[in-house]
Amino acid sequence: MKEIFARASVRSYEERPVEREKIEQVLRAAMAAPTAMNQRPWEFYVVENKEVLAKMAEASKYAWPAGKAPAAIVICYRKEGSPAPEMLDIDCAICTENIWLELTHLGLGGLMLGIAPVEERMKVVAEALDLPESLTAFTVIPFGYPKKEKERPDRYEPERVHWVK
């Protein structure tokens, strides 16, 4: 539970690389996510190339952290052969949360950049990575060692809970 309450969107990172072992642990957490009908539609691109990170930072006015991060994970999905195509975004969103929690657990920080379903953003990321036609860019998660710790407020709002007995 600690990671759930400690997780925060991190936009500024120390200028040091993230160890491959930690990146692989994050990817293991990502792939442990449940999916509809066990379709596991994802493909992951781990980007450490500064030029590619800078290109992805142009996807929207909010994507600039990608250009400042030492690395990013791009989650893409395959539509072809999917037994539950209407659930692809949900599957990838659950996967994203697993990534965030594992980043937090490992002392790293990241941010989910909203890419899908905005076609122009998806196109920028697809071109930056030279994605095959069979893959759709879902999100970019820049990550690294946070420059500073962020305080997380308690976001529990009892007035948003409706008890049905």
Side-chain angles (χ1 to χ4, degrees):
M1 297 296 286
K2 180 185 90 170
E3 285 80 6
I4 291 172
F5 295 111
R7 191 222 54 81
S9 295
V10 175
R11 293 175 175 82
S12 59
Y13 314 94
E14 293 180 4
E15 290 191 31
R16 66 171 163 145
V18 176
E19 300 85 350
R20 185 178 182 111
E21 301 78 34
K22 287 188 176 184
I23 296 171
E24 288 179 356
Q25 187 61 33
V26 170
L27 294 167
R28 286 180 181 280
M31 292 183 207
T35 60
M37 301 179 73
N38 198 31
Q39 64 184 344
R40 301 171 40 90
W42 44 61
E43 298 285 334
F44 301 91
Y45 284 73
V46 178
V47 182
E48 297 173 299
N49 180 295
K50 290 293 185 189
E51 290 177 18
V52 176
L53 289 166
K55 287 179 186 175
M56 292 190 304
E58 297 172 5
S60 79
K61 67 180 182 178
Y62 307 106
W64 62 266
K68 307 282 186 191
I73 294 173
V74 181
I75 302 173
C76 301
Y77 59 78
R78 300 177 309 273
K79 288 183 182 177
E80 190 174 311
S82 171
E86 68 280 3
M87 303 305 275
L88 293 169
D89 286 345
I90 293 170
D91 289 347
C92 288
I94 296 168
C95 170
T96 300
E97 184 70 11
N98 277 18
I99 289 172
W100 252 345
L101 295 174
E102 189 61 19
L103 287 171
T104 302
H105 176 73
L106 295 172
L108 300 165
L111 171 71
M112 178 184 181
L113 301 179
I115 301 301
V118 183
E119 289 294 329
E120 58 214 37
R121 295 177 184 181
M122 295 163 66
K123 183 179 179 187
V124 169
V125 174
E127 288 176 357
L129 294 173
D130 194 25
L131 291 181
E133 291 282 326
S134 61
L135 293 181
T136 300
F138 174 72
T139 193
V140 175
I141 305 167
F143 67 96
Y145 288 94
K147 274 192 177 176
K148 59 185 176 196
E149 292 295 317
K150 287 181 82 172
E151 289 294 317
R152 282 283 286 151
D154 183 353
R155 291 186 171 179
Y156 182 73
E157 298 176 66
E159 66 274 9
R160 292 182 178 247
V161 178
H162 307 277
W163 297 89
V164 180
K165 295 183 180 192

